[in-house]
Amino acid sequence: PLLGRDDDLARVAQALARSGFVTVTGAGGSGKTLLARHLAARHGAVDGTPAAWVDLVELDAPAAVLPAVAAALGVHGPPRDTAALAKALATERRLLVLDNAEHLLETVGALAETLRAQAPGITLLVTSQAPLRRRGETVHALAGLSVPSAPCTAEEALRHAAVALFVAHARQADRRLRFGDAQVADVVAICASLGGSALGVQLAAALLGQKPLADLRERLARRATGP
C-alpha cells in the first residue's frame, strides 16, 4: 500500500499529464520507486497500455542504458543512438519509467531530452536522488512520511503515514504487538528519529521480532546522537 502519499500521487499524475516529463526526487528509502509503481499502474489502467520499466540500479555503465530502454519499449536492434531510438518511437504512446537514475544523470538526461523532442508520445517518469536538470523537466521532491508533532492518542497517531507503516510492518514481525496509547510515544520517537523514511521505518519495525519497542527506541536515539 502507498501510505500517506495520496497527495504526491495526485500531483505527479497531474504533472505527467501536463508536461509529460517528471522526475521524482528524494533521499534513498523515501519511497520513490513505490510511488512510481503506483503511478505506472494508474497510467496503465487509464491508458490501457503497460508502462515500460527500466531499473537503472542494475546498470553500471552509461552504454547499457540505451539497449535496456529499447528492450523495455520493444524496439529491436538495439538502436545505434538515442536519435534512432526516438525515430522508432515517433508515433508510439507509452509511459517510460526510469527508476534509480542518480548514478547516470548525464546519460539519462540526454536520453530524456531527445525523446521529449522527437518522440512526444513517450511520457517520462524518472526517479532519482537528484534532478536531471533538463529542459521540460518537472521535479517533484518527495519528503519523509508524516509523523505526529505533538502528544496524541493511538488512533490519532495512526492517521500519520510513518506510524501506520511502522505498525503494519511491526505486526508482521511480532504478531503479539499491541499498539495503544501506551506505545505511542515510543513509536513516534522511532519514526521521528528516522525522519519519516519509508525504508527506515520498515527496517526498524522488522527488528521488533528481536527486541522490545523501548529498546529499539533507545538504540535509534543513541545512533542519532552519536558517541
Side-chain angles (χ1 to χ4, degrees):
L2 191 66
L3 294 172
R5 295 295 190 197
D6 289 348
D7 186 57
D8 294 291
L9 188 67
R11 288 176 179 271
V12 177
Q14 291 169 3
L16 279 172
R18 183 175 62 251
S19 71
F21 176 19
V22 177
T23 299
V24 178
T25 63
S30 59
K32 301 183 295 296
T33 296
L34 182 59
L35 178 66
R37 290 196 180 281
H38 278 261
L39 286 160
R42 171 185 281 198
H43 186 276
V46 173
D47 190 65
T49 56
W53 189 286
V54 181
D55 188 354
L56 297 169
V57 78
E58 299 177 356
L59 308 182
D60 57 6
V65 173
L66 182 61
V69 172
L73 288 165
V75 177
H76 302 291
R80 65 183 180 279
D81 54 32
T82 55
L85 174 64
K87 183 178 180 180
L89 298 168
T91 60
E92 293 289 320
R93 295 185 62 83
R94 293 285 300 277
L95 170 64
L96 171 61
V97 184
L98 301 174
D99 192 29
N100 298 303
E102 52 274 349
H103 63 301
L104 293 164
L105 291 177
E106 185 64 29
T107 301
V108 173
L111 173 66
E113 276 198 343
T114 301
L115 289 177
R116 290 305 300 152
Q118 300 179 32
I122 302 299
T123 299
L124 281 169
L125 175 60
V126 182
T127 74
S128 174
Q129 293 183 27
L132 301 182
R133 304 189 188 282
R134 295 288 178 154
R135 181 172 47 248
E137 177 188 29
T138 298
V139 178
H140 182 88
L142 207 58
L145 296 173
S146 65
V147 181
S149 58
C152 59
T153 65
E155 181 180 357
E156 291 167 339
L158 284 170
R159 295 173 190 160
H160 291 264
V163 174
L165 183 64
F166 181 91
V167 171
H169 282 266
R171 283 174 173 158
Q172 294 177 19
D174 183 359
R175 295 183 179 181
R176 299 167 299 173
L177 176 76
R178 294 180 59 84
F179 181 69
D181 293 350
Q183 289 76 40
V184 168
D186 284 334
V187 172
V188 168
I190 289 168
C191 294
S193 71
L194 295 165
S197 164
L199 180 59
V201 166
Q202 292 176 61
L203 292 175
L207 293 174
L208 282 185
Q210 306 169 25
K211 59 180 70 236
L213 188 61
D215 289 356
L216 179 58
R217 173 183 179 176
E218 183 180 350
R219 174 181 171 180
L220 289 174
R222 287 200 306 268
R223 190 188 70 173
T225 57

